[in-house]
Amino acid sequence: MNSFSNSAFARFFTEFPKLLLAQLINAVAFAVFTALFVLIGYLTGFNNIIVWCLGIIPSMPFFAGLVMTVRKIGIEKKDVPVAKTFFGTVKENFKAFLLHGVVTYAIIACSIFAFMYYFSLLGSSLAYGSMLTVYVLFSLILTSMMFYVPIMSVTYELKISDIYKNSFILVFGNILKNILAMLFFIAVSLGFILWIAAAEGAMLVIAITVAVLFYPLIATYGVNVIIAKGLQENVGSFTGKDLLVDKEFEEKVEKIVEQQAVERADSSNDYVFVNGKMIKRESNTTDSKITLRIGCQLTCAEFCFCTFLSGNIMV
């Protein structure tokens, strides 16, 4: 029972007020920028969905805050201050997510144009149906790739090019999880689209409002929870514990190598040049104590490895 109450599914409901707060901030940013571009489209005469969707680009950095909040609460099961987490993430990832916004806009705009173009030509030739099918598959692959881009950006210290490269690889590396995430994404999207399409009058206003408030949260939460395990297995833990262990081990290895270099150096010199640094030689007694103290912090296998490594470096 305790495991279920702490599951991602249960935490969506128990931590819903915090998640909703993060989504409200994200929704306000999206609504403001979308309204701005709708106004620009109306004033310039370019009043179409391609222009309206430009609001995605400046609002995308705020989506980073929602992704981080979802990661902390739903995946890492942590209790975090929403506002601090949200705006801190927006500040740290602002430039990167502006670029992600451009990519997302390009995918959406090209998909809308291609679907409308090929669908209108279906009556003239069945060959256009094949082209439409190919583009649908291509769009699904790009959408699956974009599932990984935001959460990788707020989690790992990677170059933008590496984020997109790894995201594309993971599309084919975690096929089952990606299919499940895609089915969830399509189901949620279709649910809101059909509701908006069927609504009229006041109900249409309610449907659009509910979609703006809840759709990004539900889709983002579900997709990230589904792909999280595979992402951590392939790229690294979200908590960074594995990276910390590796860093500590590297520091120990470096100390051992430096100490071995000092011991093998010419005894007439007070300083020894090791790994680009000048190290002061201590007394032999002190050297032995330092080596013993560092060696005790390592396992036997690690210490033997360090000794072997330092010997090869000196040779």
Side-chain angles (χ1 to χ4, degrees):
M1 187 66 181
N2 289 333
S3 60
F4 174 77
S5 62
N6 200 39
S7 65
F9 178 78
R11 286 182 67 84
F12 178 80
F13 298 98
T14 57
E15 301 294 331
F16 185 75
K18 291 184 176 181
L19 293 169
L20 183 59
L21 175 58
Q23 169 52 23
L24 284 173
I25 302 172
N26 177 59
V28 168
F30 178 76
V32 168
F33 287 114
T34 300
L36 176 62
F37 280 98
V38 168
L39 178 61
I40 292 174
Y42 177 77
L43 294 176
T44 58
F46 296 99
N47 200 19
N48 56 66
I49 192 171
I50 302 298
V51 176
W52 303 343
C53 287
L54 283 169
I56 292 173
I57 298 175
S59 65
M60 196 66 175
F62 294 89
F63 183 65
L66 176 61
V67 173
M68 177 62 86
T69 304
V70 166
R71 195 198 90 185
K72 291 291 186 181
I73 294 176
I75 301 173
E76 296 182 31
K77 314 295 192 301
K78 292 183 178 180
D79 184 17
V80 295
V82 175
K84 182 179 179 180
T85 301
F86 189 99
F87 289 108
T89 305
V90 172
K91 181 179 179 181
E92 292 177 5
N93 299 274
F94 192 86
K95 292 182 179 179
F97 271 77
L98 280 179
L99 177 60
H100 299 335
V102 173
V103 174
T104 303
Y105 171 77
I107 293 173
I108 293 174
C110 291
S111 297
I112 292 174
F113 176 79
F115 292 157
M116 293 175 62
Y117 177 75
Y118 288 119
F119 190 79
S120 66
L121 296 174
L122 280 178
S124 60
S125 174
L126 293 178
Y128 291 108
S130 300
M131 293 297 297
L132 180 60
T133 302
V134 171
Y135 200 86
V136 168
L137 293 175
F138 182 66
S139 297
L140 290 176
I141 291 174
L142 291 180
T143 303
S144 296
M145 182 186 75
M146 294 306 294
F147 287 165
Y148 290 95
V149 169
I151 192 167
M152 287 182 67
S153 297
V154 302
T155 303
Y156 306 112
E157 292 290 337
L158 295 173
K159 296 179 180 178
I160 297 294
S161 58
D162 291 334
I163 288 174
Y164 281 93
K165 180 181 69 176
N166 291 333
S167 297
F168 184 76
I169 293 172
L170 286 169
V171 171
F172 304 97
N174 294 323
I175 294 180
L176 294 179
K177 291 289 187 180
N178 292 331
I179 292 175
L180 182 60
M182 181 59 69
L183 291 175
F184 176 83
F185 179 76
I186 292 174
V188 174
S189 301
L190 280 178
F192 280 101
I193 290 173
L194 293 176
W195 184 22
I196 293 173
E200 295 180 357
M203 185 57 66
L204 178 60
V205 176
I206 295 174
I208 293 175
T209 303
V210 172
V212 171
L213 290 177
F214 297 104
Y215 169 69
L217 174 59
I218 296 173
T220 302
Y221 192 93
V223 167
N224 281 286
V225 167
I226 292 171
I227 67 173
K229 184 177 180 181
L231 178 59
Q232 293 185 84
E233 290 174 350
N234 286 278
V235 182
S237 172
F238 289 170
T239 61
K241 291 180 180 179
D242 296 338
L243 299 176
L244 180 61
V245 171
D246 291 341
K247 184 176 180 181
E248 291 176 348
F249 178 73
E250 289 175 0
E251 291 176 350
K252 293 176 182 178
V253 170
E254 183 180 354
K255 289 180 180 179
I256 291 292
V257 172
E258 291 178 354
Q259 185 57 35
Q260 293 288 344
V262 170
E263 293 177 352
R264 293 169 183 251
D266 186 0
S267 59
S268 61
N269 296 328
D270 292 332
Y271 290 88
V272 179
F273 188 77
V274 181
N275 293 334
K277 297 184 293 183
M278 294 298 295
I279 301 175
K280 185 176 181 181
R281 173 188 295 279
E282 304 292 343
S283 63
N284 291 336
T285 302
T286 306
D287 289 346
S288 301
K289 290 181 179 179
I290 293 175
T291 304
L292 179 61
R293 184 172 65 252
I294 297 175
C296 291
Q297 296 175 0
L298 303 170
T299 65
C300 181
E302 290 173 343
F303 187 75
C304 290
F305 168 75
C306 295
T307 306
F308 170 76
L309 179 62
S310 62
N312 287 339
I313 291 175
M314 293 305 299
V315 173

